[in-house]
Amino acid sequence: MLAFAEQGMNGLMMGAIYALFALGMVLIYGVMHVLNFSHGVLFMAGAYVCQVIFAQLTGNYFVAILGSMLVLALVGCLLEKGIFQHLRGSLSMQIVASMGLIMIVQNGIIYFFGPLALHMRVETVESKIRLGPLSFTAQHFVIIGVTLVAVVALDLFLRHTRLGTALRATSQNLEAARVVGINPDSIFLMTFALATALAALAGALLGPLFLISPAMGDLPLLKGLTAIVLGGMGSVPGAIIGGFVIGILEAQATLVLPTDYRDAVVFAALIGILLFRPYGLFGKRERGEP
Amino acid sequence: MSEQTSKPILAIRDLKAGYGGGRMIVNGVDINVGAGEIVCVIGQNGAGKSTLLKGIVNLIQLRQGTVQLDGKDVTDLPAQKLLLEGLAYIPQGRSIFPRLTVAENIRMGGYLIKDRAVLKRRHEEMEAMFPALAELRGLQASSLSGGQQRQLELARTLMMDPKVLMLDEPSIGLAPRIVDQVFTVLRDLAKLGKAVLMVEQNVRKALAAADRGYVLELGKVRLEDRAQALLDDERVAQLYMGMRPTAA
Ligand SMILES: Nc1ncnc2c1ncn2[C@@H]1O[C@H](COP(=O)(O)OP(=O)(O)OP(=O)(O)O)[C@@H](O)[C@H]1O
Ligand SMILES: [Mg+2]
């Protein structure tokens, strides 16, 4: 029972990371119909930028997280303007471009920081918090709390602001969006910025708990994709729930299976979903949109 | 009202439009629409009716000719600027935002209105004008009936209080009774002084609602006359209203 509760907490924490990660991917997919496979390296770059701002520039973890989100949002804008804008409508070209980006970003990081993992030492969040007989790092709670805040903020933005509504409108009917005077290009730019900032947030949050390494985004990419498929390929709430389901599932799986099988469980679930519920857990077909 | 009595609000001159490869689908069209006037363009499938409207609002790849709005040359303005100048357009097919609510759809029509007070007032005006929509304001737009969706498109478009309203087949897919309602709304708008340019395949009803009409064939204007005269025209009757030649 204790182990169950402990893994539940770990699952929630990783689920929060996956949810943030999947949110960014689903926004880009929903609005632009681009499957951005480079989301994983952007997550990783976010962790590195956070480390640089924290360890070398400010010593303030909070500032480092915000800084990293900002930097990656700019990177997202550049990627949209420089690359993806020109590949609209060609899924194969988008995939090729994403793969190229993965190599460029990953090797760029290795060039500047070396191939070895770095340790982001943030003392305040490394401290332990006791919950009865269990104890977790403060970072567990920070991650879950920040994710909840981010999700609520995003929901408010999408549903209650002019720009957020325009984002949803654009994803639902591009032609009609143009007709009412929305400039889709600026909506796309904003979506990319938002999505990469969320990737950076996830990377920056996970940094102090695990080591930072050039490959740290690889598995989250696959799990983020799984979360999106689970959530019905395009629904924002679906992606969030999908992220948490995966985090909790893989954490609980370690109670009954060897830890090495943790990832296999997730991908087995993915295959199961694709076989039996191809439109996701919630069943309703919604052509990718937030 | 065959001859333009006053200066046209919308004046299209020698418009050519196409989708690339240098081939023009619309090939030199002149159209005038006056304030308070409903002008209808008819033509068979593929005649270039939709292309014509897309050409006018600059939502197409290839384009030549001039567009004047209220005496001002707006040929090179993008669709967004045209909207601000008072030229609004409703594309063919359902152009609502299906998973926004009715109220959100209407408010998106005022996307370019920066003043919140104005936005709110216009929204209230639209709900007064379309009471059925006011009752459905919280519903997802996709759950509306075809006729209600058409009303929603109109309400959304009227948020900008345009001088000229262009509609691509407003009657398509609607039951006859609903078609009559839509044309009645258009007549009311014309009475308020709006210029209406619509493209239609429902020739009989559209011409009955219109003041003047143009017949478009292969991207060119074949005939141009008062709507009633076109309705009485034998060629129009044969080609577009499924009538057999009278002299057998
Ligand atoms: N996006 C496009 N790209 C290339 N060609 C197009 C495109 N849209 C339409 N066309 C071509 O332009 C011609 C005229 O099309 P258009 O849609 O303007 O006709 P229409 O008169 O509106 O017909 P309908 O009554 O069926 O709506 C057709 O030959 C069509 O194949
Ligand atoms: Mg058409």
Side-chain angles (χ1 to χ4, degrees):
Chain A
M1 194 58 216
L2 218 53
F4 183 76
E6 180 169 27
Q7 284 311 318
M9 185 69 191
N10 285 331
L12 267 183
M13 183 275 291
M14 276 317 287
I17 297 287
Y18 295 149
L20 282 179
F21 193 98
L23 257 181
M25 288 194 85
V26 90
L27 277 176
I28 291 183
Y29 180 75
V31 176
M32 283 164 276
H33 308 289
V34 167
L35 257 181
N36 179 21
F37 290 101
S38 61
H39 210 66
V41 292
L42 296 171
F43 162 88
M44 175 271 288
Y48 274 90
V49 173
C50 180
Q51 161 78 355
V52 169
I53 299 178
F54 171 68
Q56 292 170 22
L57 297 178
T58 64
N60 182 325
Y61 181 50
F62 181 69
V63 170
I65 292 178
L66 289 181
S68 155
M69 289 173 74
L70 206 65
V71 170
L72 265 287
L74 286 176
V75 171
C77 288
L78 290 179
L79 293 183
E80 156 65 10
K81 271 271 165 244
I83 301 176
F84 289 103
Q85 190 181 54
H86 309 285
L87 306 179
R88 224 81 77 230
S90 167
L91 184 63
S92 52
M93 289 305 286
Q94 290 162 8
I95 292 175
V96 172
S98 302
M99 296 298 162
L101 268 176
I102 292 177
M103 288 195 248
I104 292 169
V105 177
Q106 219 154 39
N107 287 300
I109 291 286
I110 292 174
Y111 180 81
F112 287 108
F113 297 92
L116 298 179
L118 307 179
H119 193 169
M120 189 191 296
R121 300 214 63 111
V122 186
E123 270 165 34
T124 41
V125 298
E126 272 175 16
S127 58
K128 298 277 183 188
I129 291 179
R130 299 200 63 86
L131 275 186
L134 298 172
S135 90
F136 301 99
T137 67
Q139 185 67 356
H140 275 72
F141 299 95
V142 169
I143 289 177
I144 295 168
V146 168
T147 299
L148 289 181
V149 170
V151 164
V152 170
L154 186 71
D155 180 69
L156 289 176
F157 169 72
L158 285 176
R159 291 197 303 133
H160 296 287
T161 68
R162 171 175 169 271
L163 269 181
T165 311
L167 186 151
R168 285 185 297 139
T170 307
S171 84
Q172 291 172 17
N173 192 335
L174 184 60
E175 187 187 27
R178 282 211 182 87
V179 163
V180 299
I182 295 170
N183 178 357
D185 284 338
S186 47
I187 297 289
F188 293 160
L189 207 60
M190 176 180 82
T191 306
F192 240 97
L194 209 59
T196 45
L198 285 170
L201 176 61
L205 284 174
L206 198 60
L209 275 189
F210 296 127
L211 296 175
I212 298 176
S213 74
M216 70 184 276
D218 298 359
L219 273 176
L221 173 69
L222 293 174
K223 298 200 177 140
L225 271 174
T226 309
I228 295 178
V229 174
L230 220 59
M233 205 67 209
S235 129
V236 162
I240 296 167
I241 296 171
F244 277 104
V245 165
I246 289 172
I248 291 168
L249 182 72
E250 69 173 17
Q252 299 300 350
T254 58
L255 294 179
V256 285
L257 290 168
T259 317
D260 290 345
Y261 284 91
R262 193 181 58 194
D263 301 328
V265 169
V266 173
F267 299 125
L270 173 63
I271 293 170
I273 289 282
L274 288 175
L275 281 179
F276 300 110
R277 303 220 49 150
Y279 297 147
L281 280 183
F282 313 107
K284 210 163 93 228
R285 175 89 178 116
E286 291 202 5
R287 205 191 88 258
E289 70 185 39
Chain B
M1 260 204 289
S2 174
E3 306 77 30
Q4 207 70 42
T5 39
S6 55
K7 228 167 49 114
I9 285 273
L10 180 69
I12 317 292
R13 291 290 168 271
D14 198 25
L15 187 79
K16 298 182 176 153
Y19 297 94
R23 194 170 83 91
M24 290 300 186
I25 305 283
V26 170
N27 218 333
V29 165
D30 288 12
I31 286 179
N32 291 327
V33 191
E37 188 183 37
I38 300 185
V39 168
C40 175
V41 177
I42 58 175
Q44 277 161 336
N45 291 109
K49 304 183 298 296
S50 298
T51 308
L52 169 68
L53 296 191
K54 282 185 230 166
I56 296 172
V57 289
N58 218 345
L59 283 173
I60 201 159
Q61 289 90 330
L62 285 180
R63 196 157 158 280
Q64 287 166 22
T66 61
V67 178
Q68 285 205 345
L69 188 64
D70 215 357
K72 181 176 168 189
D73 184 9
V74 295
T75 307
D76 295 320
L77 295 187
Q80 200 181 29
K81 288 271 155 43
L82 286 173
L83 202 53
L84 288 168
E85 293 285 336
L87 177 61
Y89 158 64
I90 304 180
Q92 185 172 350
R94 306 227 159 135
S95 75
I96 53 158
F97 301 113
R99 272 167 293 281
L100 297 192
T101 64
V102 168
E104 285 173 331
N105 265 276
I106 296 177
R107 230 175 299 127
M108 272 294 109
Y111 179 75
L112 294 177
I113 300 174
K114 293 284 148 61
D115 187 332
R116 275 167 171 266
V118 175
L119 191 65
K120 187 158 173 287
R121 199 188 68 230
R122 292 263 172 88
H123 194 171
E124 285 162 5
E125 286 168 9
M126 286 310 124
E127 293 200 334
M129 191 166 171
F130 300 95
L133 295 180
E135 276 169 39
L136 304 168
R137 68 170 74 91
L139 281 188
Q140 274 206 351
S142 61
S143 62
L144 267 52
S145 72
Q148 290 166 339
Q149 293 192 11
R150 197 54 40 87
Q151 286 191 12
L152 182 56
E153 287 172 348
L154 280 168
R156 190 182 68 191
T157 310
L158 292 173
M159 281 292 283
M160 291 304 288
D161 194 18
K163 296 178 200 148
V164 181
L165 185 57
M166 302 204 310
L167 307 100
D168 196 338
E169 306 215 15
S171 77
I172 205 169
L174 298 181
R177 192 174 48 84
I178 311 291
V179 171
D180 294 339
Q181 284 176 10
V182 169
F183 286 141
T184 305
V185 173
L186 295 184
R187 281 256 54 112
D188 291 345
L189 290 171
K191 262 183 228 140
L192 292 173
K194 307 241 180 261
V196 177
L197 174 60
M198 65 178 171
V199 149
E200 262 296 344
Q201 286 205 56
N202 191 340
V203 172
R204 208 183 300 267
K205 286 197 172 180
L207 284 178
D211 298 301
R212 287 189 307 116
Y214 294 78
V215 177
L216 196 68
E217 263 176 33
L218 297 170
K220 281 191 180 346
V221 173
R222 248 324 101 78
L223 285 172
E224 167 188 355
D225 212 331
R226 283 182 304 115
Q228 189 56 47
L230 287 177
L231 270 174
D232 297 338
D233 190 300
E234 201 159 283
R235 288 163 297 178
V236 173
Q238 275 174 34
L239 280 169
Y240 301 105
M241 295 188 272
M243 302 229 185
R244 261 174 270 126
T246 41

